[in-house]
Amino acid sequence: MVIAQLQSSHPCVLASRFARPARIHASSSSSSNRKLIPCNFWWFHSLAFKKHDYKINYAEKWEASSRSIEDKMDSSICMNVVDNSSFKFFRMDKKNTPQGYQVQLMIGSLSSYFWFRLTQMNFINAFVKIIQDLFPSMVWMLGATGSPFACISNSLNKPMPLKLDVSLPSLQDVRWNLARLLYLFNVQLERNVATFLVVLAVVCFSFVVFGGFLFFKFRDETQSLEDCLWEAWACLISSSTHLKQRTRVERVIGFILAIWGILFYSRLLSTMTEQFRNNMQKLREGAQMQVLESDHIIICGVNSHLSFILKQLNKYHEFAVRLGTATARKQRILLLSDLPRKQMDKLAENIAKDLNHIDILSKSLTLTKSYERAAANKARAIIILPTKGDRYEVDTDAFLSVLALQPIPKMNSVPTIVEVSNPNTCELLKSLSGLKVEPVENVASKLFVQCSRQKGLIKIYRHLLNYQKNIFNLWSFPNLAGMKYRQLRRGFQEAVVCGLYRNGKINFHPNDDEMLQPTDKILFIAPIHGKKKPQLASSNVANRIKISQHLKVLENNSDSTSYAIELVRARLELIAKRPGKPGSKASDGNLGPKERILLLGWRPDVVEMIEEYDNYLGPGSVLEILSDVPLDDRKRASNAIGHGKLKNVQVFHKIGNPLNFDTLKDTIMNIQNSFKDGEELPLSIVVISDREWLLGDPSRADKQSAYSLLLAENICNKLGVKVQNLVAEIVDSKLGKQIARNRPSLTYIAAEEVMSLVTAQVVENSELNEVWKDILNAEGDEIYVKDISLYMKEGENPSFFELSERAHLRREVAIGYVKDNKKVINPVPKSEPLSLTLTDSLIVISELEGEQPIVL
């Protein structure tokens, strides 16, 4: 009640015990004029409590004063009122009264409260004043909406009950919240193991603080807080410290801290170990590490070509080290793949176990980021291998991989070799700007057909792709510019001139009068001698100029011209002329041979093999396919590629397992019985892999192919069926050589290995891509092993130079010969006579279709 009245501005009337004190002392001079009256107290903000002086105005005439006197807490109040004066005083004197102590206590309490209340109200009023000055609009809005009577003027602002649910959550909700909290912590911990270190540090600090305050409290502040915190830390890090505690409570606190310290350091050690293991795993995966290499080779993707490519690169670097052209002792190979890191390391270790001139590093693949971290713009070359079985997926993945290289700067000088399955994809990849793309079309199926029809052709391809032997070379000779191709073709004795490379295109059959331009390159077949170029027959430029001038004189001389014409006519009499009409690629006749072929196995690119057989065989040929693949899948693949364009071959499908003896026997017997009386057609049995072994381990497919081939040979021997060719597709060359040694009549073809060697050779010289593209394409020039009887008569002993001139008249390039089943590529010297018989062969680069242009 008193506090409420003090806070208001209305006058306060003292109680009766204050108005009527126990004793009243009046002076003798004015005793009759003094009387007791009630007083009205007014509140002033400037009171002095320390002096306990109060002044009260009553009707602007009365004045009262009081002075506190310390006298054993006893007081008496005396009020002196003067009637005959305009100012009247009253005084409260402390006396030895029973109520004096209570009065003094009440006055002191009220004085303290008044002082505290005034200080608080002054601060609040000042703060409200500042807010009103800074945000007048906000204060107005709050006042309008928060006023107790605001709802009288605005019916929309009527107070509404909040309807808060203050009930305690259920136990299931509490469990779910705790599980949610633990889940979020585990998610963060999975992203970064170091999060647990932060949690451990916070908990450890909390235990130290909590234990230090407990020590400080139970020791009755006999020890400083700093020492208590330090002792809590000592108990945490050293479990023996808690044994030094004296009281029971301190021992319990020290024991808890010691147990937590043991748990803390065990978890800290395990967390640091896991963090280190995680960092090492990232380093092994290579996802976050930047490669600081230059002149390295990047291989993107893993398939069956990888082992052959690595072996070929190892041979090339070994040969470069011997010639002194290598820039490092080992060639660094960077392998990128999306396979698990352990699988990649195991694969690389198995492949590179015997490769001493290359060093393989494996990294994880994330397209553009991986290429940037692999320093692709500083690489020597980039190889992109297909990792999918479907031909469309192969091309789309190749396109996306090449597209990921485009944002990287300075990529126009780094050759990117990409294996694709479609020639249209090659043109698309070459159209990408800012990149030097060299697409290599995978024509392994066509190459298999070529090698299956010509015995020994696969060995010739291996020879031309072996860096230690004669291979294709492209060299520029600016000092020979202006010479005719005829002079170049006859002038090199240590190499075989195969054509001219001009404006990114290869021409195997230039005109003899074609002039060499300074930007042209000459295609040779010769061994590699480092940076040493093949030389003409004369040793210096002066002699070459003299020879050139002498040849021009001979050409202008009528007698020399007549002699050359007579020499050409004589050569034409000794060779077999090619037909004027286009014929089959397998024969010099107008029509190809009529044959019957049994194909064991199936995969989607068999359709390309069928088309290649149609180019070689004549009308009436039959191709029968035995496989356990459903007919719907075969027809689907045939319709996708265009199976209806066949002209010479009829295709028959049969469902059965080629590994089954009875099924294979019935198939061969049906083929034998289908021959007409007296008709004998050459029969060839070809075995291919049923599965897509390009993406997996080819050892199982090799075993199946080898078993089917041996089974077919056994059945043919029992039935007395004569077979012209028994050919199997084998990936592992060691297994193929072992089969060939035990069964000389059997032939193995590693077409995928040849394609891998082509890719590796294009890595070292990207311009050779056009050369191999023309040779391996059925529409271009190809390598053939032909009977020597097409170029010489019986009893002749021509030199290789003479055989080359005769082959040139047939629009062919002679590169070697086969004598007694031994091949010789780039024979040296070329002017010596060769002791060849009609059973031998000549190796040429030829395009059999088209007319024979002979200019006399």
Side-chain angles (χ1 to χ4, degrees), residues 89-115:
F89 302 91
F90 74 91
R91 182 180 60 185
M92 294 182 293
D93 297 330
K94 294 180 181 179
K95 298 295 180 180
N96 294 328
T97 60
Q99 298 178 352
Y101 177 78
Q102 297 180 0
V103 172
Q104 184 181 7
L105 181 62
M106 177 63 69
I107 293 175
S109 300
L110 290 176
S111 301
S112 301
Y113 175 78
F114 292 158
W115 177 81

PDB file of all heavy atoms in Angstrom, residues 89-115:
ATOM      1  N   PHE A  89       7.045  24.941  11.787  1.00  0.00           N
ATOM      2  CA  PHE A  89       8.029  23.847  11.744  1.00  0.00           C
ATOM      3  C   PHE A  89       7.544  22.706  12.620  1.00  0.00           C
ATOM      4  O   PHE A  89       6.828  22.911  13.592  1.00  0.00           O
ATOM      5  CB  PHE A  89       9.391  24.337  12.265  1.00  0.00           C
ATOM      6  CG  PHE A  89       9.935  25.495  11.506  1.00  0.00           C
ATOM      7  CD1 PHE A  89       9.644  26.814  11.916  1.00  0.00           C
ATOM      8  CD2 PHE A  89      10.728  25.299  10.396  1.00  0.00           C
ATOM      9  CE1 PHE A  89      10.153  27.890  11.202  1.00  0.00           C
ATOM     10  CE2 PHE A  89      11.233  26.374   9.698  1.00  0.00           C
ATOM     11  CZ  PHE A  89      10.945  27.669  10.100  1.00  0.00           C
ATOM     12  N   PHE A  90       7.950  21.580  12.239  1.00  0.00           N
ATOM     13  CA  PHE A  90       7.763  20.423  13.125  1.00  0.00           C
ATOM     14  C   PHE A  90       9.052  19.615  13.110  1.00  0.00           C
ATOM     15  O   PHE A  90       9.787  19.599  12.136  1.00  0.00           O
ATOM     16  CB  PHE A  90       6.553  19.573  12.737  1.00  0.00           C
ATOM     17  CG  PHE A  90       6.760  18.759  11.516  1.00  0.00           C
ATOM     18  CD1 PHE A  90       7.252  17.460  11.627  1.00  0.00           C
ATOM     19  CD2 PHE A  90       6.465  19.299  10.272  1.00  0.00           C
ATOM     20  CE1 PHE A  90       7.432  16.741  10.486  1.00  0.00           C
ATOM     21  CE2 PHE A  90       6.661  18.549   9.147  1.00  0.00           C
ATOM     22  CZ  PHE A  90       7.132  17.258   9.239  1.00  0.00           C
ATOM     23  N   ARG A  91       9.343  18.950  14.169  1.00  0.00           N
ATOM     24  CA  ARG A  91      10.589  18.220  14.365  1.00  0.00           C
ATOM     25  C   ARG A  91      10.281  16.868  14.965  1.00  0.00           C
ATOM     26  O   ARG A  91       9.422  16.731  15.829  1.00  0.00           O
ATOM     27  CB  ARG A  91      11.506  19.022  15.265  1.00  0.00           C
ATOM     28  CG  ARG A  91      12.859  18.337  15.481  1.00  0.00           C
ATOM     29  CD  ARG A  91      13.737  19.171  16.396  1.00  0.00           C
ATOM     30  NE  ARG A  91      13.081  19.334  17.693  1.00  0.00           N
ATOM     31  CZ  ARG A  91      13.586  20.116  18.673  1.00  0.00           C
ATOM     32  NH1 ARG A  91      14.679  20.815  18.477  1.00  0.00           N
ATOM     33  NH2 ARG A  91      12.936  20.217  19.824  1.00  0.00           N
ATOM     34  N   MET A  92      11.081  15.853  14.457  1.00  0.00           N
ATOM     35  CA  MET A  92      10.959  14.499  14.994  1.00  0.00           C
ATOM     36  C   MET A  92      12.242  14.194  15.735  1.00  0.00           C
ATOM     37  O   MET A  92      13.311  14.148  15.128  1.00  0.00           O
ATOM     38  CB  MET A  92      10.737  13.465  13.866  1.00  0.00           C
ATOM     39  CG  MET A  92       9.398  13.645  13.162  1.00  0.00           C
ATOM     40  SD  MET A  92       9.105  12.430  11.890  1.00  0.00           S
ATOM     41  CE  MET A  92      10.333  12.881  10.720  1.00  0.00           C
ATOM     42  N   ASP A  93      12.127  13.993  16.960  1.00  0.00           N
ATOM     43  CA  ASP A  93      13.294  13.717  17.790  1.00  0.00           C
ATOM     44  C   ASP A  93      13.257  12.284  18.275  1.00  0.00           C
ATOM     45  O   ASP A  93      12.204  11.739  18.601  1.00  0.00           O
ATOM     46  CB  ASP A  93      13.313  14.649  19.025  1.00  0.00           C
ATOM     47  CG  ASP A  93      13.438  16.093  18.614  1.00  0.00           C
ATOM     48  OD1 ASP A  93      14.076  16.327  17.542  1.00  0.00           O
ATOM     49  OD2 ASP A  93      12.920  16.949  19.349  1.00  0.00           O
ATOM     50  N   LYS A  94      14.394  11.725  18.252  1.00  0.00           N
ATOM     51  CA  LYS A  94      14.517  10.335  18.701  1.00  0.00           C
ATOM     52  C   LYS A  94      14.566  10.310  20.229  1.00  0.00           C
ATOM     53  O   LYS A  94      15.382  10.987  20.843  1.00  0.00           O
ATOM     54  CB  LYS A  94      15.769   9.693  18.149  1.00  0.00           C
ATOM     55  CG  LYS A  94      15.731   9.543  16.666  1.00  0.00           C
ATOM     56  CD  LYS A  94      17.001   8.905  16.189  1.00  0.00           C
ATOM     57  CE  LYS A  94      16.972   8.774  14.683  1.00  0.00           C
ATOM     58  NZ  LYS A  94      18.186   8.179  14.149  1.00  0.00           N
ATOM     59  N   LYS A  95      13.766   9.508  20.747  1.00  0.00           N
ATOM     60  CA  LYS A  95      13.732   9.310  22.196  1.00  0.00           C
ATOM     61  C   LYS A  95      13.700   7.829  22.472  1.00  0.00           C
ATOM     62  O   LYS A  95      13.560   7.003  21.581  1.00  0.00           O
ATOM     63  CB  LYS A  95      12.493   9.993  22.798  1.00  0.00           C
ATOM     64  CG  LYS A  95      12.485  11.510  22.584  1.00  0.00           C
ATOM     65  CD  LYS A  95      13.609  12.214  23.311  1.00  0.00           C
ATOM     66  CE  LYS A  95      13.592  13.703  23.109  1.00  0.00           C
ATOM     67  NZ  LYS A  95      14.679  14.393  23.824  1.00  0.00           N
ATOM     68  N   ASN A  96      13.775   7.599  23.756  1.00  0.00           N
ATOM     69  CA  ASN A  96      13.744   6.188  24.185  1.00  0.00           C
ATOM     70  C   ASN A  96      12.307   5.706  24.262  1.00  0.00           C
ATOM     71  O   ASN A  96      11.700   5.603  25.330  1.00  0.00           O
ATOM     72  CB  ASN A  96      14.427   6.024  25.552  1.00  0.00           C
ATOM     73  CG  ASN A  96      15.903   6.334  25.468  1.00  0.00           C
ATOM     74  OD1 ASN A  96      16.510   6.093  24.446  1.00  0.00           O
ATOM     75  ND2 ASN A  96      16.456   6.876  26.562  1.00  0.00           N
ATOM     76  N   THR A  97      11.783   5.432  23.032  1.00  0.00           N
ATOM     77  CA  THR A  97      10.410   4.950  22.945  1.00  0.00           C
ATOM     78  C   THR A  97      10.400   3.568  22.345  1.00  0.00           C
ATOM     79  O   THR A  97      11.301   3.200  21.555  1.00  0.00           O
ATOM     80  CB  THR A  97       9.550   5.896  22.090  1.00  0.00           C
ATOM     81  OG1 THR A  97      10.137   5.948  20.799  1.00  0.00           O
ATOM     82  CG2 THR A  97       9.524   7.295  22.711  1.00  0.00           C
ATOM     83  N   PRO A  98       9.404   2.771  22.624  1.00  0.00           N
ATOM     84  CA  PRO A  98       9.342   1.408  22.037  1.00  0.00           C
ATOM     85  C   PRO A  98       9.190   1.415  20.555  1.00  0.00           C
ATOM     86  O   PRO A  98       9.576   0.468  19.877  1.00  0.00           O
ATOM     87  CB  PRO A  98       8.100   0.793  22.724  1.00  0.00           C
ATOM     88  CG  PRO A  98       7.876   1.602  23.935  1.00  0.00           C
ATOM     89  CD  PRO A  98       8.345   3.002  23.633  1.00  0.00           C
ATOM     90  N   GLN A  99       8.660   2.445  19.965  1.00  0.00           N
ATOM     91  CA  GLN A  99       8.424   2.451  18.508  1.00  0.00           C
ATOM     92  C   GLN A  99       9.577   3.097  17.736  1.00  0.00           C
ATOM     93  O   GLN A  99       9.517   3.200  16.533  1.00  0.00           O
ATOM     94  CB  GLN A  99       7.123   3.218  18.202  1.00  0.00           C
ATOM     95  CG  GLN A  99       5.900   2.570  18.819  1.00  0.00           C
ATOM     96  CD  GLN A  99       4.633   3.347  18.556  1.00  0.00           C
ATOM     97  OE1 GLN A  99       4.696   4.461  18.034  1.00  0.00           O
ATOM     98  NE2 GLN A  99       3.486   2.785  18.929  1.00  0.00           N
ATOM     99  N   GLY A 100      10.574   3.563  18.405  1.00  0.00           N
ATOM    100  CA  GLY A 100      11.668   4.255  17.702  1.00  0.00           C
ATOM    101  C   GLY A 100      12.446   3.342  16.757  1.00  0.00           C
ATOM    102  O   GLY A 100      12.804   3.739  15.646  1.00  0.00           O
ATOM    103  N   TYR A 101      12.711   2.143  17.181  1.00  0.00           N
ATOM    104  CA  TYR A 101      13.472   1.199  16.332  1.00  0.00           C
ATOM    105  C   TYR A 101      12.719   0.884  15.058  1.00  0.00           C
ATOM    106  O   TYR A 101      13.284   0.844  13.963  1.00  0.00           O
ATOM    107  CB  TYR A 101      13.762  -0.069  17.114  1.00  0.00           C
ATOM    108  CG  TYR A 101      14.460  -1.113  16.307  1.00  0.00           C
ATOM    109  CD1 TYR A 101      15.828  -1.018  16.056  1.00  0.00           C
ATOM    110  CD2 TYR A 101      13.752  -2.189  15.772  1.00  0.00           C
ATOM    111  CE1 TYR A 101      16.478  -1.959  15.310  1.00  0.00           C
ATOM    112  CE2 TYR A 101      14.402  -3.150  15.026  1.00  0.00           C
ATOM    113  CZ  TYR A 101      15.770  -3.045  14.786  1.00  0.00           C
ATOM    114  OH  TYR A 101      16.416  -4.001  14.045  1.00  0.00           O
ATOM    115  N   GLN A 102      11.431   0.652  15.169  1.00  0.00           N
ATOM    116  CA  GLN A 102      10.626   0.343  13.978  1.00  0.00           C
ATOM    117  C   GLN A 102      10.548   1.525  13.043  1.00  0.00           C
ATOM    118  O   GLN A 102      10.604   1.379  11.830  1.00  0.00           O
ATOM    119  CB  GLN A 102       9.216  -0.077  14.410  1.00  0.00           C
ATOM    120  CG  GLN A 102       9.183  -1.352  15.236  1.00  0.00           C
ATOM    121  CD  GLN A 102       7.776  -1.732  15.644  1.00  0.00           C
ATOM    122  OE1 GLN A 102       6.823  -1.018  15.297  1.00  0.00           O
ATOM    123  NE2 GLN A 102       7.639  -2.824  16.373  1.00  0.00           N
ATOM    124  N   VAL A 103      10.456   2.724  13.611  1.00  0.00           N
ATOM    125  CA  VAL A 103      10.393   3.913  12.762  1.00  0.00           C
ATOM    126  C   VAL A 103      11.690   4.088  11.999  1.00  0.00           C
ATOM    127  O   VAL A 103      11.707   4.356  10.796  1.00  0.00           O
ATOM    128  CB  VAL A 103      10.066   5.150  13.627  1.00  0.00           C
ATOM    129  CG1 VAL A 103      10.193   6.430  12.793  1.00  0.00           C
ATOM    130  CG2 VAL A 103       8.674   5.044  14.210  1.00  0.00           C
ATOM    131  N   GLN A 104      12.779   3.944  12.708  1.00  0.00           N
ATOM    132  CA  GLN A 104      14.074   4.095  12.030  1.00  0.00           C
ATOM    133  C   GLN A 104      14.277   3.036  10.956  1.00  0.00           C
ATOM    134  O   GLN A 104      14.772   3.316   9.875  1.00  0.00           O
ATOM    135  CB  GLN A 104      15.195   4.008  13.076  1.00  0.00           C
ATOM    136  CG  GLN A 104      16.569   4.252  12.490  1.00  0.00           C
ATOM    137  CD  GLN A 104      17.649   4.137  13.557  1.00  0.00           C
ATOM    138  OE1 GLN A 104      17.367   3.750  14.683  1.00  0.00           O
ATOM    139  NE2 GLN A 104      18.860   4.510  13.193  1.00  0.00           N
ATOM    140  N   LEU A 105      13.893   1.827  11.255  1.00  0.00           N
ATOM    141  CA  LEU A 105      14.009   0.747  10.260  1.00  0.00           C
ATOM    142  C   LEU A 105      13.133   1.002   9.053  1.00  0.00           C
ATOM    143  O   LEU A 105      13.536   0.785   7.903  1.00  0.00           O
ATOM    144  CB  LEU A 105      13.641  -0.596  10.901  1.00  0.00           C
ATOM    145  CG  LEU A 105      13.744  -1.827  10.006  1.00  0.00           C
ATOM    146  CD1 LEU A 105      15.207  -2.003   9.548  1.00  0.00           C
ATOM    147  CD2 LEU A 105      13.282  -3.082  10.751  1.00  0.00           C
ATOM    148  N   MET A 106      11.920   1.519   9.296  1.00  0.00           N
ATOM    149  CA  MET A 106      11.008   1.791   8.184  1.00  0.00           C
ATOM    150  C   MET A 106      11.543   2.923   7.325  1.00  0.00           C
ATOM    151  O   MET A 106      11.510   2.871   6.093  1.00  0.00           O
ATOM    152  CB  MET A 106       9.624   2.149   8.721  1.00  0.00           C
ATOM    153  CG  MET A 106       8.620   2.508   7.634  1.00  0.00           C
ATOM    154  SD  MET A 106       8.311   1.106   6.526  1.00  0.00           S
ATOM    155  CE  MET A 106       7.444   0.014   7.637  1.00  0.00           C
ATOM    156  N   ILE A 107      12.085   3.948   7.962  1.00  0.00           N
ATOM    157  CA  ILE A 107      12.601   5.098   7.211  1.00  0.00           C
ATOM    158  C   ILE A 107      13.811   4.682   6.387  1.00  0.00           C
ATOM    159  O   ILE A 107      13.955   5.050   5.209  1.00  0.00           O
ATOM    160  CB  ILE A 107      12.944   6.244   8.168  1.00  0.00           C
ATOM    161  CG1 ILE A 107      11.671   6.797   8.793  1.00  0.00           C
ATOM    162  CG2 ILE A 107      13.703   7.346   7.432  1.00  0.00           C
ATOM    163  CD1 ILE A 107      11.924   7.842   9.848  1.00  0.00           C
ATOM    164  N   GLY A 108      14.687   3.909   6.986  1.00  0.00           N
ATOM    165  CA  GLY A 108      15.865   3.449   6.216  1.00  0.00           C
ATOM    166  C   GLY A 108      15.481   2.573   5.038  1.00  0.00           C
ATOM    167  O   GLY A 108      16.031   2.690   3.935  1.00  0.00           O
ATOM    168  N   SER A 109      14.522   1.687   5.212  1.00  0.00           N
ATOM    169  CA  SER A 109      14.081   0.808   4.117  1.00  0.00           C
ATOM    170  C   SER A 109      13.444   1.608   3.001  1.00  0.00           C
ATOM    171  O   SER A 109      13.704   1.391   1.805  1.00  0.00           O
ATOM    172  CB  SER A 109      13.094  -0.240   4.655  1.00  0.00           C
ATOM    173  OG  SER A 109      13.706  -1.015   5.653  1.00  0.00           O
ATOM    174  N   LEU A 110      12.581   2.541   3.400  1.00  0.00           N
ATOM    175  CA  LEU A 110      11.927   3.355   2.381  1.00  0.00           C
ATOM    176  C   LEU A 110      12.933   4.222   1.643  1.00  0.00           C
ATOM    177  O   LEU A 110      12.838   4.411   0.420  1.00  0.00           O
ATOM    178  CB  LEU A 110      10.857   4.233   3.038  1.00  0.00           C
ATOM    179  CG  LEU A 110       9.616   3.504   3.575  1.00  0.00           C
ATOM    180  CD1 LEU A 110       8.694   4.491   4.285  1.00  0.00           C
ATOM    181  CD2 LEU A 110       8.885   2.794   2.453  1.00  0.00           C
ATOM    182  N   SER A 111      13.901   4.729   2.356  1.00  0.00           N
ATOM    183  CA  SER A 111      14.907   5.568   1.701  1.00  0.00           C
ATOM    184  C   SER A 111      15.703   4.767   0.688  1.00  0.00           C
ATOM    185  O   SER A 111      15.951   5.214  -0.444  1.00  0.00           O
ATOM    186  CB  SER A 111      15.840   6.169   2.766  1.00  0.00           C
ATOM    187  OG  SER A 111      15.123   6.928   3.692  1.00  0.00           O
ATOM    188  N   SER A 112      16.128   3.569   1.043  1.00  0.00           N
ATOM    189  CA  SER A 112      16.881   2.707   0.098  1.00  0.00           C
ATOM    190  C   SER A 112      16.036   2.345  -1.107  1.00  0.00           C
ATOM    191  O   SER A 112      16.495   2.356  -2.258  1.00  0.00           O
ATOM    192  CB  SER A 112      17.340   1.432   0.816  1.00  0.00           C
ATOM    193  OG  SER A 112      18.158   1.755   1.901  1.00  0.00           O
ATOM    194  N   TYR A 113      14.763   2.017  -0.858  1.00  0.00           N
ATOM    195  CA  TYR A 113      13.891   1.645  -1.974  1.00  0.00           C
ATOM    196  C   TYR A 113      13.689   2.827  -2.904  1.00  0.00           C
ATOM    197  O   TYR A 113      13.696   2.679  -4.136  1.00  0.00           O
ATOM    198  CB  TYR A 113      12.556   1.138  -1.450  1.00  0.00           C
ATOM    199  CG  TYR A 113      11.565   0.863  -2.542  1.00  0.00           C
ATOM    200  CD1 TYR A 113      11.641  -0.291  -3.306  1.00  0.00           C
ATOM    201  CD2 TYR A 113      10.549   1.789  -2.847  1.00  0.00           C
ATOM    202  CE1 TYR A 113      10.763  -0.536  -4.318  1.00  0.00           C
ATOM    203  CE2 TYR A 113       9.662   1.555  -3.853  1.00  0.00           C
ATOM    204  CZ  TYR A 113       9.765   0.393  -4.589  1.00  0.00           C
ATOM    205  OH  TYR A 113       8.882   0.142  -5.595  1.00  0.00           O
ATOM    206  N   PHE A 114      13.466   4.048  -2.279  1.00  0.00           N
ATOM    207  CA  PHE A 114      13.257   5.225  -3.119  1.00  0.00           C
ATOM    208  C   PHE A 114      14.465   5.498  -4.000  1.00  0.00           C
ATOM    209  O   PHE A 114      14.342   5.811  -5.172  1.00  0.00           O
ATOM    210  CB  PHE A 114      12.951   6.443  -2.228  1.00  0.00           C
ATOM    211  CG  PHE A 114      11.627   6.360  -1.508  1.00  0.00           C
ATOM    212  CD1 PHE A 114      11.396   7.102  -0.354  1.00  0.00           C
ATOM    213  CD2 PHE A 114      10.616   5.515  -1.980  1.00  0.00           C
ATOM    214  CE1 PHE A 114      10.195   7.008   0.288  1.00  0.00           C
ATOM    215  CE2 PHE A 114       9.403   5.429  -1.318  1.00  0.00           C
ATOM    216  CZ  PHE A 114       9.195   6.173  -0.178  1.00  0.00           C
ATOM    217  N   TRP A 115      15.646   5.356  -3.449  1.00  0.00           N
ATOM    218  CA  TRP A 115      16.872   5.627  -4.231  1.00  0.00           C
ATOM    219  C   TRP A 115      17.053   4.630  -5.377  1.00  0.00           C
ATOM    220  O   TRP A 115      17.341   4.981  -6.501  1.00  0.00           O
ATOM    221  CB  TRP A 115      18.075   5.542  -3.301  1.00  0.00           C
ATOM    222  CG  TRP A 115      19.361   5.724  -4.022  1.00  0.00           C
ATOM    223  CD1 TRP A 115      19.929   6.888  -4.402  1.00  0.00           C
ATOM    224  CD2 TRP A 115      20.239   4.694  -4.440  1.00  0.00           C
ATOM    225  NE1 TRP A 115      21.109   6.684  -5.044  1.00  0.00           N
ATOM    226  CE2 TRP A 115      21.326   5.304  -5.083  1.00  0.00           C
ATOM    227  CE3 TRP A 115      20.225   3.297  -4.315  1.00  0.00           C
ATOM    228  CZ2 TRP A 115      22.381   4.593  -5.614  1.00  0.00           C
ATOM    229  CZ3 TRP A 115      21.269   2.587  -4.840  1.00  0.00           C
ATOM    230  CH2 TRP A 115      22.343   3.226  -5.487  1.00  0.00           C
TER     231      TRP A 115
END
